[in-house]
Amino acid sequence: MSALVLNNIGKDFGGVHAVADLHMEVPQGRITGLIGPNGAGKTTVVNMISGMLSVTSGAIKFGTHDITHVGAHDAAALGISRTYQNIRLLSESTVTENVMGGFHRHEKASILASLLGLPSSRRETAKVRRQALEMIDRFEMSAFHDHPAGDLSYGHQRRVEMMRALAMAPELLLLDEPVAGMNEVESGELGTIFSGLAKGGMAVLLIEHNMRFVFGLCDFVYVLDSGRLIASGTPDEVIKNPAVITAYLGS
Ligand SMILES: Nc1ncnc2c1ncn2[C@@H]1O[C@H](COP(=O)(O)OP(=O)(O)OP(=O)(O)O)[C@@H](O)[C@H]1O
Ligand SMILES: [Mg+2]
């Protein structure tokens, strides 16, 4: 079943059609690829799905919900989580604090309680900290848990972003170039993590320029160029498509 369906969505910025008439489906339990040259509209698609950008035309369905005009807060509450192409961490805060920030979808009552200094909130905070530390351990970053996020290597910062996005146990995970700037070993490790998440039932949308990485993980890939879908299919089908070759290499 498709967790997410984009029905002919479009986004205009002034006169620019950043995305036009895009149909795309992201099923549960799989990693779906979204590729295309710079400026193709990939991040714009993620911004619309995650409710950070309004949609100009078309509709977005998530499970049984129409989320076309849902804002970022409500999209997150429905179980849609994302990472950012340009890493967005609290660089002065520790790794643990950054990851704890991701848990707060379930913890609204406790934030209020904590502002009021109630004992139940201290218990909640301790519980969230413990969950954050468990996740940090699973991502093999325990040695860094009390380091300021801004001091970490680029690859490690990307891992922290991933953990923060996963902390809310999303049903749909949107990854905007999650392994950019990583070496092959680091990206391979993250690829294994992504496969595990999909096996566990999560719907994953992966944007990435590294084709080998995308084709190794995805069983279905969409290709955008100048805001339009120029191809879709299995990696084998897409790689042989003349329109894709032209988009990447020029005619
Ligand atoms: N907020 C905005 N205002 C105006 N134009 C925008 C805005 N965001 C994106 N665009 C334009 O929309 C088009 C698609 O941009 P987008 O960032 O979605 O591409 P992308 O496929 O993610 O590219 P990249 O691979 O470089 O990350 C580009 O022409 C871009 O300049
Ligand atoms: Mg982008």
Side-chain angles (χ1 to χ4, degrees):
M1 183 194 131
S2 282
L4 179 78
V5 180
L6 307 184
N7 272 320
N8 307 93
I9 58 161
K11 178 67 191 177
D12 295 347
F13 292 111
V16 178
H17 303 304
V19 175
D21 204 25
L22 172 64
H23 184 91
M24 197 170 96
E25 301 193 10
V26 182
Q28 291 173 308
R30 287 172 196 280
I31 306 173
T32 302
L34 177 59
I35 65 173
N38 291 116
K42 306 178 297 294
T43 297
T44 301
V45 169
V46 168
N47 287 340
M48 287 192 283
I49 299 167
S50 59
M52 305 183 90
L53 257 185
S54 65
V55 175
T56 306
S57 56
I60 307 179
K61 258 186 105 177
F62 180 56
T64 56
H65 300 274
D66 181 340
I67 61 161
T68 314
H69 301 294
V70 156
H73 187 83
D74 291 331
L78 286 170
I80 299 175
S81 189
R82 67 171 295 176
T83 62
Y84 293 90
Q85 184 168 358
N86 306 308
I87 297 174
R88 291 191 190 182
L89 294 174
L90 304 171
S91 54
E92 314 266 302
S93 301
T94 66
V95 168
T96 308
E97 286 160 352
N98 270 282
V99 176
M100 283 174 75
F103 280 97
H104 282 154
R105 169 159 85 112
H106 299 298
E107 316 291 342
K108 283 193 200 74
S110 78
I111 291 171
L112 182 61
S114 127
L115 289 172
L116 299 171
L118 303 179
S120 66
S121 77
R122 283 200 291 277
R123 277 199 299 278
E124 271 306 308
T125 306
K127 188 177 135 209
V128 171
R129 174 176 293 274
R130 204 168 53 242
Q131 289 174 325
L133 287 171
E134 276 168 20
M135 180 168 293
I136 291 165
D137 188 42
R138 260 188 284 143
F139 275 75
E140 295 178 3
M141 282 194 57
S142 294
F144 303 97
H145 79 273
D146 59 354
H147 289 221
D151 289 358
L152 300 178
S153 72
Y154 192 65
H156 279 143
Q157 291 195 27
R158 287 229 169 264
R159 278 180 183 239
V160 177
E161 268 242 324
M162 199 76 54
M163 290 189 274
R164 189 184 52 182
L166 288 172
M168 63 176 242
E171 284 168 42
L172 170 64
L173 180 64
L174 310 167
L175 299 168
D176 197 352
E177 302 199 22
V179 300
M182 285 189 183
N183 65 37
E184 206 146 320
V185 174
E186 290 173 320
S187 62
E189 286 169 0
L190 276 187
T192 305
I193 289 171
F194 302 158
S195 296
L197 294 170
K199 278 206 186 79
M202 202 178 284
V204 180
L205 180 65
L206 172 66
I207 293 177
E208 187 48 56
H209 280 290
N210 180 337
M211 298 259 197
R212 192 138 49 103
F213 188 75
V214 173
F215 291 166
L217 289 174
C218 301
D219 32 30
F220 203 88
V221 178
Y222 292 88
V223 190
L224 273 184
D225 186 23
S226 304
R228 295 199 164 268
L229 188 68
I230 56 165
S232 62
T234 65
D236 276 346
E237 288 165 352
V238 158
I239 206 164
K240 288 189 210 126
N241 188 312
V244 176
I245 296 165
T246 306
Y248 275 92
L249 303 176
S251 44

